Amino acid sequence: MSLDIRLLRKNVFALLAGQVSKLAIQAAYFVVLARMLGATGYGAFAAAVALAALVSPYSSLGTNTLMIKNVARDSLDASPEWKRALLYTTSGGLLFSILLALFSAQIAPQGVSSLAILQIALADLVGLRLVDLVGSVWQSLGRHRALAILPSLANLLRLIAALLMWLVASQSSLDTWATVYLLATLPLGIFVVIQTTVKLGYFKGSARISLDELKEGFLYSTALASQNIYNDIDKAMLGRLISATSAGVYSAAYRIIDMAYAPIRSVSAAAYPLYFREGQDGLRSALRLTRKISPMVLGYAVVGSIGVALVAPLAPLILGSDYVEAVDFVRLMAWLIILRALTFLAADALTGSGHQRYRTFVQVAVAVLNVFLNLYLIPSYGILGAVISTLACEAILGILLWCYIGVGMKLKRTSGGRRAKRGKRGRRRETVHS
């Protein structure tokens, strides 16, 4: 199976153009929100968003990833896959939003109302997930325009909403922003779903999911949930164990790193369906794709890390004096761009080649480690403890994934060598007998 690297580059540049526009809008939205809510309000909001992110992968039971895999590999009719993913995403998002609101007193930062949690959860677990789902179905069909445009559109609507609230409202409370946030997100999700359903057809095929697919989808969900845990739980824990202000400073630093990582995310999104295609022939084929994209990914990761460290002192000038502490943490977390790039190159190769079970196991183990490290480090060291935990867990994850790949490839070469030797012995015997 040949890999069309030119098509991959074309898709990467298309997604990168979308990421650049998304990045510009996201940066403006981040600045407006950070200034409007202040470090305390922004920290409480970031903690609420983090809670939604922790349960988000289970809202669809992995049917979105199953849809990408099935359509990308077999060019199946996308309608039944779309129908199933849409059904699970919508119903699961509603269920988890209600559960988060019900248990908000136990898990949310103090002072954040259950109504605010419900509205933020509905925006992210239903509205935003539907937007992502539409991008995914067109991505699986090889059309990346929706995946490039829709996230930027969602961020643009949120930016406009934040600007209007900042200019009009006399007081910018989190409860008010939660309502505006929902109104800026959910209608877009509903609109693009209706549009996509008209094009693909909803009533074609069955929405049933087999037991094997359910197990596979659960693995995808668990892997993504684990990833979200070591990406986001520190924000929620800082808000709960220390203060919303600390969560705000850390979240601001983390957001800067996340925006700098955006170009690598474009490569990841473009390559993801290809990993499933190449991975049908085994891990070696999936790693061939990794070798093709690694110079681009690692080259940017190094440049991006250095760039972020150099511009870190500008953070308080742009965000306000509440975020002076963020400068040192941004410099420390710049290493995260390189670590995350190395992790992605190994993780998606394993997923595409059928090694999802190991990837999920490792990510769950690292997520558990992250929680324990945060419980130990955050009360003693505050924001620095969260930074140390994040960097350590990302490094451990990358090491474990690449070690598994190295051992697997070595065993395969050893077994291949043994088979070749046995074949030579057999040919020699045939020659002697003849």
Side-chain angles (χ1 to χ4, degrees), residues 265-280:
R265 196 174 291 114
S266 299
V267 180
S268 172
Y272 195 55
L274 296 179
Y275 268 116
F276 283 117
R277 252 178 248 163
E278 296 296 312
Q280 291 182 94

Side-chain angles (χ1 to χ4, degrees), residues 283 286 345-356 358-359 401 404-405:
L283 182 57
L345 290 170
D348 282 5
L350 290 173
T351 295
S353 57
H355 296 267
Q356 181 64 38
Y358 177 78
R359 176 182 176 176
L401 294 178
Y404 179 83
I405 289 174

Side-chain angles (χ1 to χ4, degrees), residues 370-389:
N370 183 263
V371 172
F372 280 106
L373 283 176
N374 282 325
L375 285 172
Y376 173 73
L377 294 172
I378 287 177
S380 301
Y381 301 100
I383 301 172
L384 180 60
V387 172
I388 293 171
S389 176

Side-chain angles (χ1 to χ4, degrees), residues 30-47:
F30 166 52
V31 171
V32 170
L33 203 59
R35 283 186 169 274
M36 179 178 71
L37 297 177
T40 301
Y42 181 72
F45 173 68

Side-chain angles (χ1 to χ4, degrees), residues 277-415:
R277 252 178 248 163
E278 296 296 312
Q280 291 182 94
D281 297 328
L283 182 57
R284 189 182 297 276
S285 296
L287 288 174
R288 190 161 53 240
L289 174 57
T290 292
R291 283 194 294 272
K292 293 282 187 181
I293 64 177
S294 58
M296 183 185 347
V297 170
L298 296 178
Y300 172 79
V302 172
V303 173
S305 298
I306 295 171
V308 164
L310 290 176
V311 302
L314 298 176
L317 299 176
I318 299 170
L319 302 177
S321 58
D322 287 353
Y323 299 91
V324 172
E325 279 187 274
V327 175
D328 291 333
F329 299 123
V330 169
R331 285 173 171 161
L332 280 173
M333 293 177 70
W335 289 100
L336 189 61
I337 300 173
I338 297 174
L339 293 174
R340 192 168 285 176
L342 289 166
T343 300
F344 135 66
L345 290 170
D348 282 5
L350 290 173
T351 295
S353 57
H355 296 267
Q356 181 64 38
R357 190 179 297 276
Y358 177 78
R359 176 182 176 176
T360 300
F361 171 77
V362 171
Q363 286 185 302
V364 169
V366 171
V368 173
L369 174 63
N370 183 263
V371 172
F372 280 106
L373 283 176
N374 282 325
L375 285 172
Y376 173 73
L377 294 172
I378 287 177
S380 301
Y381 301 100
I383 301 172
L384 180 60
V387 172
I388 293 171
S389 176
T390 296
L391 291 173
C393 287
E394 195 70 45
I396 290 169
L397 176 63
I399 290 169
L400 290 174
L401 294 178
W402 279 110
C403 283
Y404 179 83
I405 289 174
V407 171
M409 295 304 294
K410 185 177 180 180
L411 289 174
K412 196 166 185 178
R413 282 195 296 269
T414 302
S415 63

Side-chain angles (χ1 to χ4, degrees), residues 63-85:
T63 51
N64 53 338
T65 306
L66 287 170
M67 175 182 68
I68 294 173
K69 188 196 81 168
N70 291 338
V71 178
R73 276 189 174 180
D74 302 322
S75 300
L76 296 173
D77 182 7
S79 301
E81 297 289 335
W82 164 252
K83 178 179 180 179
R84 182 173 66 182

